[in-house]
Amino acid sequence: MAGLPWAITTGGEVALTAAATKTMLQSTAPANQRVQLNGFTVSFQGVSPTAEQIIVRIARQTTAGTMTAVTPVKDDDSLPETIQSTAQKNATVEPTTTDVLREFYVHPQGGYERVFGPKEIMIKGGGRLGLIVITPTGVNPDCVATMSCEE
């Protein structure tokens, strides 16, 4: 690891549909280079205090799906290295998900932040990792999300 921390965000609110699965963010490691997921945030703009909770997953994905490209941004813009990873946001066609690595419930009126310990989740060279939300029936809040990674 070269110690080049960076982040990707949804860049604004993403409208969610009730009873749906949506990959909010996906990070793809460069070929032959691992990337570490340092943490993520997700928050919702729900209106009902009695609404069912949303499932948030961190999972490996084997395809890109159909998403909008997003440029990873360095945490420290004075670092001269170039970020080699690529990223996407807001799937309109879901990528193929294989292994679910972490799963959390989050209330649609709130948010969740998770910071991982050293080397807890690694993305293998050329591998993909997605931040996925699954909304229950009758719940469709807007969402914003961030993934913090390091090359």
Side-chain angles (χ1 to χ4, degrees):
M1 300 294 258
L4 181 59
W6 52 268
I8 55 175
T9 72
T10 53
E13 296 175 348
V14 174
L16 299 177
T17 306
T21 298
K22 179 175 279 283
T23 299
M24 299 297 297
L25 296 167
Q26 183 189 72
S27 176
T28 304
N32 303 312
Q33 180 179 326
R34 290 180 293 166
V35 172
Q36 177 176 310
L37 176 66
N38 290 333
F40 71 92
T41 64
V42 62
S43 58
F44 303 98
Q45 201 173 43
V47 295
S48 173
T50 59
E52 285 184 68
Q53 295 194 49
I54 295 168
I55 296 173
V56 177
R57 290 182 175 162
I58 300 294
R60 290 188 185 109
Q61 296 179 316
T62 56
T63 63
T66 302
M67 302 174 79
T68 301
V70 61
T71 302
V73 177
K74 293 183 225 177
D75 287 356
D76 179 352
D77 65 357
S78 71
L79 297 174
E81 296 84 6
T82 301
I83 297 169
Q84 302 299 311
S85 296
T86 59
Q88 301 186 102
K89 65 180 181 179
N90 193 10
T92 54
V93 175
E94 281 298 309
T96 302
T97 296
T98 56
D99 304 320
V100 175
L101 303 176
R102 305 289 185 277
E103 193 168 49
F104 310 90
Y105 276 119
V106 180
H107 194 277
Q109 282 189 308
Y112 186 80
E113 179 174 14
R114 173 71 192 260
V115 177
F116 294 111
K119 298 182 173 112
E120 186 169 344
I121 295 182
M122 300 295 284
I123 307 168
K124 70 179 181 178
R128 293 181 168 89
L129 195 68
L131 172 61
I132 304 162
V133 297
I134 303 169
T135 53
T137 301
V139 176
N140 58 343
D142 290 343
C143 178
V144 294
T146 301
M147 288 176 75
S148 299
C149 299
E150 186 173 334
E151 292 184 354

